[in-house]
Amino acid sequence: MFGSLKLGKVFGIDLYVHGTFWLLPLFVSFSDLSAGAGLAEAGTGLALVFAVFACIALHELGHALAARYYGIGTRDITLYPLGGIASLERMPERPGREIAIALAGPAVNIAIALALFSGLLGASLIVPLATALDATGLDAFLSQLFVANVVLAAFNLLPCFPMDGGRVLRALLASRMSRVRATEIAVGVGSVVAGLFILVGLLNSHFGLIAVAVMVWLLGQGELAAVRMRARAQEMRERVADWFEGPPAGGTPADRGFTGLAWDDARRAWVQYDRGRAVRVIES
């Protein structure tokens, strides 16, 4: 029902806007106009939405370029009403690399916030936070964009897997335990944080926060299932490799108490052994 609109390429990476994204600016414009805002004020709010999502696109580009540094490609970057996703071809197995890629996104937002703050300070346009959130004009617009980038960086660094902070947590845990167990713990922590988001959203009638929490929980569960599946597949490959590698050198399967498959030149067939005893001949 909802397709994606390709905006172009950035550093060779396709940038898309999902069809559902356009519901957000429509909702923001409708809310502003319903609250009695004029066309100019509603237009400023709409411009802020697009500016924030431009920063989100740069955030995702930070992930993609960090991944490229480690030889990992990115299929595309897609913007949704609740954020953006850089679809990496794979996640790095080394914890240090996963941490670097995860932190690259918030680092972009911090850099943007510092640039905006420096520019506003240099032009003496700093507006108090309470005023900036309700005021209009270029100074207020840039101040709001500064606040948005600080919030984006801080929010993404929460230990809520699969958000950036959750990935950092998983990577730190994976340096001390299996990746599956580390993911299980990180997803568990993320589920608790998502539950708190839902509670806060319900108490404050903030349905956007509830939607974000549900999305984070679903993505976390999905990635946990994928990690478990990859681990099981790897275990199966290792078992098959052990099964077919044959008996140790220096003796017959019977001599070594071998269990598995071994090629028998005399029979010209694979023979299945169980603790050194031939139990089955597999005719070719």
Side-chain angles (χ1 to χ4, degrees), residues 81-99:
L82 298 178
I85 294 179
S87 300
L88 304 186
E89 292 177 350
R90 60 182 176 86
M91 289 303 298
E93 295 293 330
R94 296 183 184 180
R97 293 184 176 185
E98 182 171 17
I99 290 174

Side-chain angles (χ1 to χ4, degrees), residues 246-258 262 273 276:
T252 66
D255 294 336
R256 294 301 186 95
F258 174 69
Y273 289 88

Side-chain angles (χ1 to χ4, degrees), residues 110-127:
I110 292 172
I112 294 172
L114 289 174
L116 288 169
F117 184 81
S118 299
L120 289 166
L121 189 63
S124 300
L125 294 175
I126 291 292
V127 177

Side-chain angles (χ1 to χ4, degrees), residues 36-103:
L39 290 177
E41 189 176 348
T44 300
L46 194 59
L48 183 62
V49 169
F50 287 117
V52 169
F53 271 85
C55 294
I56 291 175
L58 291 174
H59 172 112
E60 298 302 328
L61 183 62
H63 290 311
L65 294 180
R68 179 182 292 180
Y69 178 80
Y70 293 114
I72 300 172
T74 301
R75 289 185 290 272
D76 57 63
I77 294 173
T78 304
L79 299 178
Y80 297 89
L82 298 178
I85 294 179
S87 300
L88 304 186
E89 292 177 350
R90 60 182 176 86
M91 289 303 298
E93 295 293 330
R94 296 183 184 180
R97 293 184 176 185
E98 182 171 17
I99 290 174
I101 293 172
L103 292 179

